[in-house]
Amino acid sequence: PAAMSVRFLLLALCTGAAVQISAESETGISFQDKIPDYLTSLGIPSESHWVETDDGYILGAFRLANPGRPVLLLQHGILASAWCWLVNDPELSPALRLFHLGYDVWLTNTRGNTFSRNHTKWNPDEDEEFWAFSFTDMGRHDVPANIAYILRTTGKPDLIFVGWSQGTSQFFVSMTDPRVKEYVKSTVRLFVALSPVAFLANQKSNFFCRAGQHACG
């Protein structure tokens, strides 16, 4: 049964990500939509949450609530948000498919994205310190904070972590950082890495080269 559950999970993720639909009319999503409102329109119970990290960042998270069911954390990729798990035909959207398969689905957001522009001390529009973070900080602070908050809220002992692209990079940090790896090991029972990324040395994006102020070969 456990192996079959994992196979269904992977099938839902792969088929949900296989078809990209960009036209607003085809997805039924408009640029003005909010995630809770969109989920409500589909008859899905949703919750909005705020997760505070140990270094003061306040991260937005959305829950497709299936109380008592296995907990699934979906972490998006670079320059993205929780919307990435929803923007598709509802029958193909990974988050919606997984909800209907019986998972308690949580969509987390990386520090600095549109849902996580809050801090206990710094203003992202005024303080440069807010933006002085790295992939390492995301793995060292965001990942364990999200896990702890979700498990505390659901009362579950562990969860499944699904990362896409940068979402996997963050988890690779958590798996190896001596500060948090034991906690992650004890609370994540399955890690699913979609388009995993460990290094950016071979990427060709001029944007990332300039933003990171690194020379790309």
Side-chain angles (χ1 to χ4, degrees):
M4 183 173 294
S5 177
V6 172
R7 285 198 293 271
F8 276 122
L9 166 63
L10 295 175
L11 178 63
L13 287 167
C14 292
T15 55
V19 180
Q20 293 184 344
I21 301 177
S22 59
E24 179 178 309
S25 60
E26 293 177 324
T27 63
I29 300 172
S30 74
F31 295 111
Q32 291 76 35
D33 278 343
K34 309 291 186 183
I35 286 180
D37 295 338
Y38 175 64
L39 294 174
T40 298
S41 73
L42 298 175
I44 294 177
S46 69
E47 301 171 0
S48 298
H49 294 262
W50 297 105
V51 179
E52 184 175 335
T53 69
D54 59 1
D55 59 345
Y57 285 84
I58 301 173
L59 316 175
F62 301 98
R63 180 187 189 186
L64 285 66
N66 250 336
R69 305 297 295 172
V71 178
L72 194 65
L73 186 164
L74 301 182
Q75 179 60 57
H76 62 76
I78 197 167
L79 301 180
S81 76
W83 268 118
C84 292
W85 303 103
L86 296 167
V87 180
N88 210 327
D89 184 287
E91 294 183 357
L92 296 172
S93 163
L96 300 180
R97 287 177 62 87
L98 291 165
F99 171 82
H100 289 302
L101 281 173
Y103 289 96
D104 190 5
V105 180
W106 289 73
L107 310 179
T108 51
N109 289 279
T110 296
R111 58 181 61 196
N113 86 349
T114 189
F115 298 115
S116 299
R117 290 171 53 86
N118 295 283
H119 194 278
T120 56
K121 179 180 178 181
W122 297 317
N123 184 330
D125 297 322
E126 299 175 0
D127 300 313
E128 292 183 3
E129 293 89 344
F130 179 92
W131 301 103
F133 56 78
S134 65
F135 294 144
T136 299
D137 293 317
M138 297 175 188
R140 181 176 293 162
H141 304 290
D142 295 6
V143 169
N146 281 322
I147 293 172
Y149 180 91
I150 292 170
L151 296 183
R152 187 166 61 249
T153 302
T154 61
K156 293 289 187 178
D158 53 32
L159 53 74
I160 299 169
F161 189 107
V162 179
W164 164 49
S165 190
Q166 179 189 274
T168 70
S169 304
Q170 295 172 223
F171 196 80
F172 291 146
V173 171
S174 296
M175 290 168 59
T176 56
D177 191 301
R179 305 183 193 185
V180 299
K181 66 178 183 180
E182 290 304 319
Y183 174 73
V184 171
K185 180 180 178 181
S186 66
T187 54
V188 177
R189 62 187 177 94
L190 175 67
F191 170 45
V192 179
L194 303 177
S195 302
V197 178
F199 301 99
L200 290 176
N202 297 314
Q203 62 85 27
K204 303 299 182 182
S205 167
N206 289 329
F207 175 83
F208 289 130
C209 288
R210 293 171 181 171
Q213 296 181 341
H214 293 297
C216 295

